[in-house]
Amino acid sequence: MLEVTDLHARYGGAHILGGVKLTVAGGEVVALLGRNGAGKTTTIKSIMGLVRQISGSVRYEGRELLGRPPHVICRAGIGYVPEERRIFADLTVAENLEVGRRPTREGAPHWSVAHLYELFPNLAERRRNQGKQLSGGEQQMLTIARTLMGNPRLVLLDEPSEGIAPVIVEQMARVIAELKREGLSVLLSEQNLHFARLVSDRAYIIETGQVRYEGDFADLDARPEVSEQFLAV
Amino acid sequence: MSFYFAQLLTGLANASSLFLIACGLSIIFGVTRIVNFAHGSLFMLGAYIAYSVVTRLDAGVFGFWFGMLAAALAVGLVGLAMEFLILRRLYRAPELFQLVATFGLVLVIQDVALAIWGAADLLGPRAPGLARAVRIFGEPIPQYDLALIGIGPLVLAGIWLLFHRTRWGILVRAATQDRDMVGALGVNQNWLFSAAFFLGAALAGLGGALQIPREAVSLQMDLNVIAEAFVVVVIGGMGSVAGAFVAAVLISVLNAFAVLVFPQISIVLPFVVMAVVLVLRPHGLFGKPGSGHGAPGEPEAPLRHMSGRGRMALAALVLAMLASPAVAGDFTLILLVDLLVAMLFAASLHFLMGVGGMVSFGHAAFFGIGAYGAALAVKTLGLGMGGAMLAGPLAGALGALVFGWFCVRLSGVYLAMLTLAAAQIVWGITFQWQDVTGGDDGILGVWPAPWASSDTAYFYLAAAICLGGIWALRRVVHSPFGYLLRGGRDSPVRAEAIGLDLRRHQWAGFTLAGTLAGLAGTVFAFSKGSVFPDVLGIAQSVDGLIMVLLGGIHALAGPLLGAGVFVLIEDWVSRLDFWRFIFGAIILAVVLLAPDGLAGGLERLRRLLRRTTGGGAAR
């Protein structure tokens, strides 16, 4: 479904990604692991068209997306949930969802506002509150709901478990499981190995802008030296 | 009592038209982050178009209001064309570069209006059915004023509904906060930007159209209104429509009463209010700190010392210039002095903006203070040229010291607007204070000392001072103080986190820039023999901005190149008919061809030539 090859990215003079290669198949949840500054967020932003100096190839369902503007990439069926949440603080919960609304898409589950309020009951209660009045966990739920309003087939989740309470992390894991059940593909970046193991089928480990490991979690657990080398802090 | 009530109503009527133009400006800035200097031109076009439509149709009630709406629509389409043909190509250019394009548009629209409607003021018809006055508490109040008082809140309510009840409005509000995120959610920003421009321009056009029963339509409407519109937007908070309304009422009502006490105050009052508001609330009454996701953040490459070849080329250029009196005539020498003054002025502004990261829309303040300081030293204190040449930059330094203290507390567009306010306050005082400054008549007879009075001698004096000033600035840029300023420009948070008192250093940088601008003003005053309030005007500040931005803000040579090209082109075109149109068109062409400024454009050209002549020749 998604095939990234030889992805390079720069910010000014700094070379952040040096030839990242990864794939995500239909219905699969894939984790992108790595330490702070390894290039996880840049990989996700590059796929989404949010990094200007990039080269390589990002193919999605056979279509080259590299160099296309973010709105085209979104319309192709890729949803993006940013790391810093980026809620529209002055808009209400309902208005935030409205910004994300896109027409239904063939081959993708359709998410109505009612359906999302069922999945995220907290948001239903707070639909008239402004984004800035929500707690961190509620904001995280709102970004995911807002992205789902676009009826994506693939969701890019940037560090979903970062900076939220453990009880919300659990809820987050349930949401990702629900997405998988609905047939969505997910690429999530994560530092939390435990959380990633809970929700994903496979993992990539990225370090200094290159993929250093790929495999499933059974394999990763059998080789403790790998996580020692690339994930331990 | 009733008199004061009448005064209040006049203030409210003024507030309505001010609100219309300001809220359009605010919407455009909120969505696109473009500071649209051409917004006053759109206001003026609205007035002219409404005049033409209403006088051609027979002036019934229907004809009049149809004319108003037609003008709004037509100006909206002009705004759409501006966005679509020019500004859209510049969204990826460095921040503020779009500003130059809007300056170019101001010039172009000026001459287009001149060609179509002529230079004479046009007196529009009264509004049919509203041409008389009604008595309220015994005071005559024009009916049309009452209509205006109603129109302002009506438009505000309409915009509120649009922004809260339609999908488009929700998208606009979302984009005002984080437009990249809106794009990542599948919204095509281009359409949003075009629509924002259409709406903003239409509101400006409506504001201008509604003025025709109240004031004569003239070619000065554009710049007369733009400064005040900026003030309103800034006081309200950039991007906030409700803020613009509150600010428009505040300014207009305050003004209506202040003129009763102190008639001269109306020129400076809005700017004083803005300065007070910004010092108390750095983002205006209803504004918020801009989100970090607003502007495309492209880190700036570090400045490099000039290469050996570059130094040689520069030395050759300076030598050629210094040798020119041997061959050049007096006119050329006078032009060269203008060039030197412009270069120093632009270099000082570039130091402030490019190195210090403090954008100034009012740098002419210090140029003018320097010029007036020198002139007053000669005329009032009776000092000779030597003393006056010290007094000028000293005055500039003092002015920058005072205004800088306020300005470094702000950042971004708000800082720029406060500098504009500072310049307008100084201009207003100079303009009004007849006894000291001579007001509109200026100060005459500011001539150099006898030994420097020949064109050649003064040219060498000007060259020594201006080139010396530019050289000193370059030294400072490459000194630890310069590193510090650049560090503060790139990341204020990090600079302060490592223990730097950034504000103090910025204050010092601001003062240095003001001093050198004052020095440029001093040289200017003695070269012309007189000073007029123009040297403090918006146009002078804008000239400096064009030189710096057009030259290329990311290169030290940029402002020099920009000043050179600017002065030479202006000298050439200002002899032609419709020179503003030509000049504006040239600016637009340069902006579109070299979105990174002349310095960047030349660099790209050089690389291209190298590639085509083959890599072997290059290295």
Side-chain angles (χ1 to χ4, degrees), chain B residues 409-490:
Chain B
R409 261 136 246 279
L410 307 179
S411 60
V413 183
Y414 291 96
L415 190 161
M417 291 299 168
L418 192 59
T419 57
L420 178 73
Q424 286 301 100
I425 290 169
V426 177
W427 177 83
I429 292 173
T430 311
F431 194 78
Q432 303 273 9
W433 203 4
Q434 283 274 345
D435 300 340
V436 175
T437 62
D440 206 11
D441 301 329
I443 300 175
L444 305 177
V446 189
W447 294 114
W451 63 267
S453 60
S454 79
D455 283 332
T456 311
Y458 194 73
F459 164 73
Y460 279 117
L461 181 66
I465 293 175
C466 294
L467 294 177
I470 292 167
W471 177 79
L473 271 177
R474 294 187 76 102
R475 287 299 297 261
V476 173
V477 172
H478 289 297
S479 75
F481 175 62
Y483 301 156
L484 213 151
L485 281 179
R486 279 187 268 159
R489 169 198 69 195
D490 292 340

Coordinates of all heavy atoms in Angstrom, one line a residue, chain B residues 409-490:
Chain B
R409 N 10.5 45.1 23.0 CA 9.6 44.3 23.8 C 8.7 43.5 22.9 O 8.0 42.6 23.4 CB 8.8 45.3 24.7 CG 9.3 45.4 26.1 CD 9.4 46.8 26.6 NE 10.7 47.2 26.8 CZ 11.4 46.9 27.9 NH1 10.9 46.2 28.9 NH2 12.7 47.3 28.0
L410 N 8.6 43.8 21.7 CA 7.7 43.2 20.8 C 8.5 42.4 19.7 O 9.7 42.5 19.7 CB 6.8 44.2 20.0 CG 6.1 45.2 20.9 CD1 5.3 46.1 20.0 CD2 5.2 44.5 21.8
S411 N 7.8 41.6 18.9 CA 8.5 40.9 17.8 C 7.5 40.8 16.6 O 6.3 41.1 16.7 CB 8.9 39.5 18.3 OG 7.7 38.8 18.6
G412 N 8.1 40.5 15.5 CA 7.3 40.2 14.3 C 6.6 41.5 13.8 O 7.1 42.6 13.8
V413 N 5.4 41.2 13.3 CA 4.6 42.3 12.7 C 4.3 43.4 13.7 O 4.2 44.6 13.4 CB 3.3 41.7 12.1 CG1 2.6 42.8 11.4 CG2 3.6 40.6 11.1
Y414 N 4.1 43.0 15.0 CA 3.8 44.0 16.0 C 4.9 45.0 16.2 O 4.7 46.2 16.3 CB 3.4 43.3 17.3 CG 2.1 42.6 17.2 CD1 2.0 41.2 16.9 CD2 0.9 43.3 17.3 CE1 0.8 40.6 16.8 CE2 -0.3 42.6 17.2 CZ -0.4 41.3 16.9 OH -1.6 40.6 16.8
L415 N 6.1 44.4 16.2 CA 7.3 45.3 16.3 C 7.3 46.3 15.1 O 7.5 47.5 15.2 CB 8.6 44.5 16.3 CG 9.9 45.1 16.7 CD1 10.9 44.1 17.1 CD2 10.5 45.9 15.5
A416 N 7.1 45.7 13.9 CA 7.1 46.5 12.7 C 6.1 47.6 12.8 O 6.4 48.8 12.4 CB 6.9 45.6 11.5
M417 N 4.9 47.3 13.3 CA 3.9 48.3 13.4 C 4.2 49.4 14.4 O 3.9 50.6 14.2 CB 2.6 47.6 13.7 CG 2.0 46.8 12.7 SD 1.7 47.8 11.2 CE 1.5 46.5 10.0
L418 N 4.9 49.0 15.5 CA 5.2 50.0 16.5 C 6.3 50.9 15.9 O 6.2 52.1 16.2 CB 5.8 49.3 17.8 CG 5.9 50.2 19.0 CD1 4.5 50.9 19.3 CD2 6.4 49.5 20.2
T419 N 7.2 50.4 15.1 CA 8.2 51.3 14.5 C 7.4 52.3 13.5 O 7.8 53.5 13.4 CB 9.2 50.6 13.7 OG1 8.6 49.8 12.7 CG2 10.1 49.7 14.6
L420 N 6.4 51.8 12.8 CA 5.6 52.6 12.0 C 5.0 53.7 12.8 O 5.0 54.9 12.4 CB 4.6 51.8 11.2 CG 3.6 52.6 10.3 CD1 4.4 53.0 9.1 CD2 2.4 51.8 9.9
A421 N 4.4 53.3 13.9 CA 3.8 54.3 14.8 C 4.8 55.4 15.3 O 4.5 56.6 15.3 CB 3.2 53.6 16.0
A422 N 6.0 54.9 15.6 CA 7.0 55.8 16.1 C 7.3 56.9 15.0 O 7.4 58.1 15.2 CB 8.3 55.1 16.5
A423 N 7.5 56.4 13.8 CA 7.8 57.3 12.7 C 6.6 58.3 12.4 O 6.9 59.4 12.2 CB 8.1 56.5 11.4
Q424 N 5.4 57.8 12.5 CA 4.3 58.7 12.3 C 4.1 59.7 13.4 O 3.7 60.8 13.1 CB 3.0 57.8 12.1 CG 2.9 57.1 10.8 CD 2.9 58.0 9.6 OE1 4.0 58.1 9.0 NE2 1.8 58.7 9.3
I425 N 4.5 59.3 14.6 CA 4.4 60.3 15.7 C 5.4 61.4 15.5 O 5.1 62.6 15.6 CB 4.6 59.6 17.1 CG1 3.4 58.7 17.4 CG2 4.8 60.6 18.2 CD1 3.7 57.8 18.6
V426 N 6.7 61.0 15.1 CA 7.7 62.0 14.9 C 7.3 62.9 13.7 O 7.4 64.1 13.7 CB 9.0 61.3 14.6 CG1 10.1 62.3 14.2 CG2 9.5 60.5 15.8
W427 N 6.8 62.2 12.6 CA 6.3 63.0 11.5 C 5.2 64.0 11.9 O 5.3 65.2 11.5 CB 5.8 62.0 10.4 CG 5.2 62.7 9.2 CD1 6.0 63.2 8.1 CD2 3.9 63.1 8.9 NE1 5.1 63.8 7.2 CE2 3.8 63.8 7.7 CE3 2.7 62.9 9.6 CZ2 2.7 64.2 7.1 CZ3 1.5 63.3 9.1 CH2 1.5 64.0 7.9
G428 N 4.3 63.5 12.6 CA 3.1 64.4 13.0 C 3.6 65.6 13.8 O 3.2 66.7 13.6
I429 N 4.5 65.3 14.8 CA 5.1 66.4 15.6 C 5.8 67.4 14.7 O 5.6 68.6 14.8 CB 6.0 65.9 16.7 CG1 5.2 65.0 17.7 CG2 6.7 67.0 17.4 CD1 6.0 64.3 18.7
T430 N 6.6 66.9 13.8 CA 7.4 67.8 13.0 C 6.5 68.6 12.1 O 6.7 69.8 11.9 CB 8.4 66.9 12.1 OG1 9.0 66.0 12.9 CG2 9.3 67.8 11.3
F431 N 5.5 68.0 11.6 CA 4.5 68.6 10.7 C 3.8 69.7 11.4 O 3.5 70.8 10.8 CB 3.6 67.6 10.2 CG 2.8 68.0 9.0 CD1 3.3 68.1 7.7 CD2 1.4 68.4 9.1 CE1 2.6 68.5 6.6 CE2 0.7 68.8 8.1 CZ 1.3 68.9 6.8
Q432 N 3.4 69.5 12.7 CA 2.6 70.5 13.4 C 3.4 71.6 14.1 O 2.8 72.6 14.4 CB 1.8 69.7 14.5 CG 0.9 68.6 14.0 CD -0.4 69.1 13.6 OE1 -0.7 70.3 13.5 NE2 -1.3 68.2 13.2
W433 N 4.6 71.3 14.5 CA 5.3 72.2 15.4 C 6.0 73.3 14.6 O 7.2 73.4 14.6 CB 6.3 71.4 16.2 CG 6.7 72.0 17.5 CD1 6.3 73.2 18.0 CD2 7.8 71.5 18.4 NE1 6.9 73.4 19.2 CE2 7.8 72.5 19.4 CE3 8.6 70.4 18.4 CZ2 8.7 72.3 20.5 CZ3 9.5 70.3 19.4 CH2 9.5 71.2 20.5
Q434 N 5.2 74.1 13.9 CA 5.7 75.2 13.1 C 6.9 76.0 13.6 O 7.8 76.2 12.9 CB 4.5 76.2 12.9 CG 3.4 75.7 11.9 CD 3.8 76.1 10.5 OE1 4.7 76.9 10.3 NE2 3.2 75.4 9.5
D435 N 6.8 76.4 14.9 CA 7.7 77.3 15.5 C 9.2 76.8 15.4 O 10.1 77.5 15.2 CB 7.4 77.6 16.9 CG 6.0 78.3 17.0 OD1 5.5 78.8 15.9 OD2 5.4 78.2 18.1
V436 N 9.3 75.5 15.6 CA 10.6 74.9 15.7 C 11.1 74.3 14.4 O 12.2 74.5 13.9 CB 10.7 73.8 16.8 CG1 12.0 73.1 16.8 CG2 10.4 74.5 18.2
T437 N 10.2 73.5 13.8 CA 10.6 72.7 12.6 C 10.2 73.4 11.3 O 10.5 72.9 10.2 CB 9.9 71.3 12.7 OG1 8.5 71.5 12.6 CG2 10.3 70.6 13.9
G438 N 9.4 74.4 11.4 CA 8.9 75.1 10.2 C 7.8 74.4 9.5 O 7.3 74.8 8.5
G439 N 7.3 73.3 10.2 CA 6.1 72.6 9.7 C 6.3 72.1 8.2 O 7.4 71.6 7.9
D440 N 5.3 72.3 7.4 CA 5.3 71.9 6.0 C 6.4 72.6 5.2 O 6.9 72.1 4.2 CB 3.9 72.2 5.4 CG 3.6 71.2 4.3 OD1 4.4 70.3 4.1 OD2 2.6 71.5 3.6
D441 N 6.8 73.8 5.7 CA 7.7 74.6 4.9 C 9.2 74.1 5.1 O 10.1 74.5 4.4 CB 7.7 76.1 5.3 CG 6.3 76.7 5.1 OD1 5.6 76.2 4.1 OD2 5.9 77.5 5.9
G442 N 9.4 73.3 6.1 CA 10.7 72.7 6.3 C 11.7 73.7 6.8 O 11.4 74.8 7.3
I443 N 12.9 73.3 6.8 CA 14.0 74.2 7.2 C 15.0 74.3 6.0 O 15.4 73.4 5.4 CB 14.8 73.6 8.3 CG1 13.9 73.4 9.6 CG2 16.0 74.5 8.7 CD1 14.6 72.6 10.7
L444 N 15.2 75.6 5.6 CA 16.0 75.9 4.4 C 17.4 76.4 4.8 O 17.6 76.8 6.0 CB 15.3 76.9 3.5 CG 13.9 76.6 3.1 CD1 13.3 77.7 2.3 CD2 13.8 75.3 2.3
G445 N 18.3 76.4 3.9 CA 19.6 77.0 4.1 C 20.5 76.1 5.0 O 21.3 76.7 5.8
V446 N 20.5 74.8 4.8 CA 21.4 73.9 5.5 C 22.5 73.6 4.6 O 22.5 72.5 4.0 CB 20.7 72.7 6.0 CG1 21.6 71.9 6.9 CG2 19.4 73.0 6.7
W447 N 23.5 74.5 4.5 CA 24.6 74.2 3.5 C 25.8 73.8 4.2 O 26.1 74.1 5.3 CB 24.8 75.5 2.7 CG 23.6 75.8 1.8 CD1 22.8 76.9 2.0 CD2 23.0 75.1 0.8 NE1 21.8 76.9 1.1 CE2 21.9 75.7 0.3 CE3 23.4 73.8 0.2 CZ2 21.1 75.3 -0.7 CZ3 22.6 73.4 -0.9 CH2 21.5 74.1 -1.3
P448 N 26.6 73.0 3.4 CA 27.9 72.6 4.0 C 28.9 73.7 4.2 O 28.7 74.8 3.6 CB 28.5 71.6 2.9 CG 27.5 71.6 1.8 CD 26.4 72.5 2.1
A449 N 29.9 73.5 5.0 CA 31.0 74.5 5.2 C 31.6 74.9 3.8 O 31.6 74.1 2.9 CB 32.0 74.0 6.1
P450 N 32.2 76.1 3.7 CA 32.7 76.5 2.5 C 33.7 75.5 1.8 O 33.6 75.3 0.6 CB 33.5 77.8 2.8 CG 32.8 78.3 4.1 CD 32.3 77.1 4.8
W451 N 34.6 74.9 2.7 CA 35.5 74.0 2.1 C 34.9 72.7 1.4 O 35.5 72.1 0.6 CB 36.6 73.5 3.1 CG 36.0 72.7 4.3 CD1 35.6 73.2 5.4 CD2 35.8 71.3 4.3 NE1 35.2 72.2 6.3 CE2 35.3 71.0 5.6 CE3 36.0 70.3 3.4 CZ2 35.0 69.8 6.0 CZ3 35.7 69.0 3.9 CH2 35.2 68.7 5.1
A452 N 33.7 72.4 1.9 CA 33.0 71.2 1.3 C 31.9 71.6 0.4 O 31.0 70.8 0.1 CB 32.5 70.4 2.5
S453 N 31.8 72.9 0.0 CA 30.6 73.3 -0.7 C 30.6 72.9 -2.2 O 29.5 72.9 -2.8 CB 30.4 74.8 -0.5 OG 31.5 75.5 -1.0
S454 N 31.7 72.7 -2.8 CA 31.7 72.3 -4.2 C 31.2 70.9 -4.3 O 31.3 70.1 -3.3 CB 33.1 72.3 -4.8 OG 33.8 71.2 -4.4
D455 N 30.6 70.5 -5.4 CA 30.0 69.2 -5.6 C 31.0 68.1 -5.4 O 30.7 67.1 -4.8 CB 29.3 69.1 -7.0 CG 28.0 69.8 -7.0 OD1 27.4 70.0 -6.0 OD2 27.6 70.3 -8.1
T456 N 32.2 68.4 -5.9 CA 33.3 67.3 -5.8 C 33.7 67.1 -4.4 O 33.7 66.0 -3.9 CB 34.5 67.8 -6.6 OG1 34.1 68.1 -7.9 CG2 35.5 66.6 -6.7
A457 N 33.9 68.3 -3.6 CA 34.3 68.1 -2.3 C 33.3 67.4 -1.4 O 33.6 66.6 -0.6 CB 34.6 69.5 -1.7
Y458 N 32.0 67.8 -1.6 CA 31.0 67.2 -0.8 C 30.8 65.8 -1.2 O 30.5 64.9 -0.3 CB 29.6 68.0 -1.0 CG 28.7 67.5 0.1 CD1 28.8 68.0 1.4 CD2 27.6 66.6 -0.2 CE1 28.0 67.6 2.4 CE2 26.8 66.2 0.9 CZ 27.0 66.7 2.1 OH 26.2 66.3 3.2
F459 N 31.0 65.4 -2.5 CA 30.9 64.0 -2.8 C 32.0 63.2 -2.0 O 31.6 62.2 -1.5 CB 31.2 63.9 -4.3 CG 31.5 62.5 -4.7 CD1 30.5 61.5 -4.8 CD2 32.8 62.1 -5.1 CE1 30.8 60.2 -5.1 CE2 33.1 60.8 -5.4 CZ 32.1 59.8 -5.5
Y460 N 33.2 63.7 -2.0 CA 34.2 63.0 -1.2 C 33.9 62.9 0.3 O 34.1 61.8 0.9 CB 35.6 63.6 -1.4 CG 36.2 63.2 -2.8 CD1 36.5 64.1 -3.8 CD2 36.5 61.8 -3.0 CE1 37.0 63.7 -5.0 CE2 37.0 61.4 -4.2 CZ 37.2 62.3 -5.2 OH 37.7 61.9 -6.4
L461 N 33.4 64.0 0.8 CA 33.0 63.9 2.2 C 31.9 62.9 2.4 O 32.0 62.1 3.3 CB 32.5 65.3 2.6 CG 32.0 65.4 4.1 CD1 33.2 65.3 5.0 CD2 31.4 66.8 4.4
A462 N 30.9 62.9 1.6 CA 29.8 62.0 1.7 C 30.3 60.5 1.5 O 29.9 59.6 2.3 CB 28.7 62.3 0.6
A463 N 31.2 60.4 0.6 CA 31.7 59.0 0.3 C 32.5 58.5 1.6 O 32.3 57.4 2.0 CB 32.6 59.0 -0.9
A464 N 33.3 59.4 2.2 CA 34.0 59.0 3.3 C 33.1 58.6 4.5 O 33.3 57.6 5.1 CB 35.0 60.2 3.8
I465 N 32.1 59.4 4.7 CA 31.2 59.2 5.8 C 30.3 57.9 5.6 O 30.3 57.0 6.4 CB 30.2 60.4 6.0 CG1 31.0 61.6 6.5 CG2 29.1 60.0 7.0 CD1 30.2 62.8 6.6
C466 N 29.7 57.8 4.4 CA 28.8 56.7 4.1 C 29.6 55.4 4.0 O 29.1 54.4 4.6 CB 28.0 57.0 2.8 SG 26.9 58.4 3.0
L467 N 30.7 55.4 3.2 CA 31.4 54.1 3.1 C 32.0 53.7 4.5 O 32.0 52.5 4.8 CB 32.5 54.3 2.1 CG 32.0 54.5 0.6 CD1 33.2 54.6 -0.3 CD2 31.1 53.3 0.2
G468 N 32.4 54.7 5.3 CA 32.9 54.5 6.6 C 31.8 53.8 7.5 O 32.1 52.8 8.2
G469 N 30.6 54.4 7.4 CA 29.5 53.8 8.1 C 29.2 52.4 7.7 O 29.0 51.5 8.6
I470 N 29.2 52.1 6.4 CA 28.9 50.8 5.9 C 29.9 49.8 6.4 O 29.7 48.7 6.8 CB 28.7 50.8 4.4 CG1 27.5 51.6 4.0 CG2 28.7 49.4 3.9 CD1 27.4 51.9 2.5
W471 N 31.2 50.3 6.3 CA 32.3 49.4 6.7 C 32.2 49.1 8.2 O 32.3 47.9 8.6 CB 33.6 50.1 6.4 CG 34.8 49.4 6.9 CD1 35.4 48.3 6.3 CD2 35.6 49.6 8.1 NE1 36.5 47.9 7.0 CE2 36.6 48.6 8.2 CE3 35.5 50.5 9.2 CZ2 37.5 48.6 9.2 CZ3 36.4 50.5 10.2 CH2 37.4 49.5 10.2
A472 N 31.9 50.1 9.0 CA 31.7 49.9 10.5 C 30.6 48.8 10.7 O 30.8 47.9 11.5 CB 31.4 51.2 11.2
L473 N 29.5 49.0 10.0 CA 28.4 48.0 10.2 C 28.8 46.6 9.9 O 28.5 45.6 10.6 CB 27.2 48.4 9.2 CG 26.2 49.3 9.8 CD1 25.1 49.7 8.8 CD2 25.5 48.8 11.1
R474 N 29.6 46.4 8.8 CA 30.1 45.1 8.4 C 30.9 44.5 9.5 O 30.9 43.3 9.8 CB 30.8 45.1 7.1 CG 30.0 45.5 5.9 CD 30.9 45.3 4.7 NE 31.0 43.9 4.3 CZ 30.3 43.4 3.3 NH1 29.4 44.1 2.6 NH2 30.4 42.1 3.0
R475 N 31.8 45.4 10.1 CA 32.6 44.9 11.2 C 31.8 44.4 12.3 O 32.1 43.4 12.9 CB 33.6 46.0 11.7 CG 34.7 46.4 10.7 CD 35.6 45.2 10.5 NE 36.3 44.8 11.7 CZ 37.5 45.1 12.0 NH1 38.2 45.8 11.2 NH2 38.0 44.6 13.1
V476 N 30.8 45.2 12.6 CA 29.9 44.8 13.8 C 29.2 43.5 13.5 O 29.1 42.6 14.4 CB 28.9 45.9 14.1 CG1 27.9 45.4 15.1 CG2 29.6 47.2 14.5
V477 N 28.8 43.3 12.2 CA 28.1 42.0 11.9 C 29.0 40.8 12.2 O 28.5 39.8 12.7 CB 27.6 42.0 10.4 CG1 27.1 40.7 10.0 CG2 26.6 43.1 10.2
H478 N 30.2 41.0 11.9 CA 31.2 39.8 12.1 C 31.8 39.8 13.4 O 32.8 39.1 13.7 CB 32.2 39.8 11.0 CG 31.7 39.5 9.6 ND1 31.1 38.2 9.4 CD2 31.5 40.1 8.5 CE1 30.7 38.2 8.2 NE2 30.9 39.3 7.6
S479 N 31.3 40.7 14.3 CA 31.9 40.7 15.7 C 31.0 39.8 16.6 O 30.0 39.4 16.2 CB 31.9 42.1 16.2 OG 30.6 42.5 16.6
P480 N 31.5 39.5 17.8 CA 30.7 38.7 18.7 C 29.3 39.3 18.9 O 28.3 38.6 19.1 CB 31.5 38.7 20.0 CG 32.9 38.9 19.6 CD 32.8 39.8 18.3
F481 N 29.2 40.6 19.0 CA 27.9 41.3 19.1 C 27.0 40.9 18.0 O 25.8 40.7 18.1 CB 28.1 42.8 19.2 CG 26.8 43.6 19.3 CD1 25.9 43.4 20.3 CD2 26.5 44.5 18.3 CE1 24.7 44.1 20.4 CE2 25.3 45.2 18.3 CZ 24.4 45.0 19.4
G482 N 27.6 40.9 16.8 CA 26.8 40.5 15.6 C 26.4 39.0 15.7 O 25.2 38.7 15.3
Y483 N 27.2 38.1 16.1 CA 26.8 36.7 16.3 C 25.6 36.6 17.2 O 24.7 35.9 17.0 CB 28.0 35.9 16.9 CG 29.3 35.9 16.2 CD1 30.5 35.6 16.8 CD2 29.3 36.1 14.8 CE1 31.7 35.6 16.1 CE2 30.5 36.1 14.1 CZ 31.7 35.9 14.8 OH 32.9 35.8 14.1
L484 N 25.7 37.4 18.3 CA 24.7 37.4 19.3 C 23.3 37.8 18.7 O 22.3 37.2 19.0 CB 25.1 38.4 20.4 CG 24.8 38.0 21.8 CD1 25.8 38.5 22.7 CD2 23.4 38.6 22.1
L485 N 23.4 38.9 17.9 CA 22.1 39.4 17.4 C 21.6 38.3 16.4 O 20.4 38.1 16.4 CB 22.4 40.7 16.6 CG 22.5 41.9 17.4 CD1 22.7 43.1 16.5 CD2 21.2 42.2 18.2
R486 N 22.5 37.7 15.6 CA 22.0 36.7 14.7 C 21.4 35.5 15.4 O 20.4 34.9 15.0 CB 23.1 36.3 13.7 CG 23.3 37.3 12.6 CD 24.3 36.8 11.6 NE 25.6 37.2 11.9 CZ 26.7 36.6 11.4 NH1 26.6 35.6 10.7 NH2 27.9 37.1 11.7
G487 N 22.1 35.1 16.5 CA 21.6 34.0 17.3 C 20.2 34.3 17.8 O 19.3 33.5 17.8
G488 N 20.0 35.6 18.3 CA 18.7 36.0 18.8 C 17.7 36.0 17.7 O 16.5 35.7 18.0
R489 N 18.1 36.4 16.5 CA 17.1 36.4 15.4 C 16.6 35.0 15.1 O 15.5 34.7 14.9 CB 17.8 36.9 14.2 CG 17.1 36.8 12.9 CD 18.0 36.9 11.7 NE 18.9 35.8 11.6 CZ 20.0 35.8 10.8 NH1 20.3 36.9 10.1 NH2 20.8 34.8 10.8
D490 N 17.6 34.0 15.1 CA 17.2 32.6 14.7 C 16.5 31.9 15.8 O 15.6 31.1 15.5 CB 18.5 31.9 14.3 CG 19.1 32.4 13.0 OD1 18.3 33.1 12.3 OD2 20.3 32.2 12.8

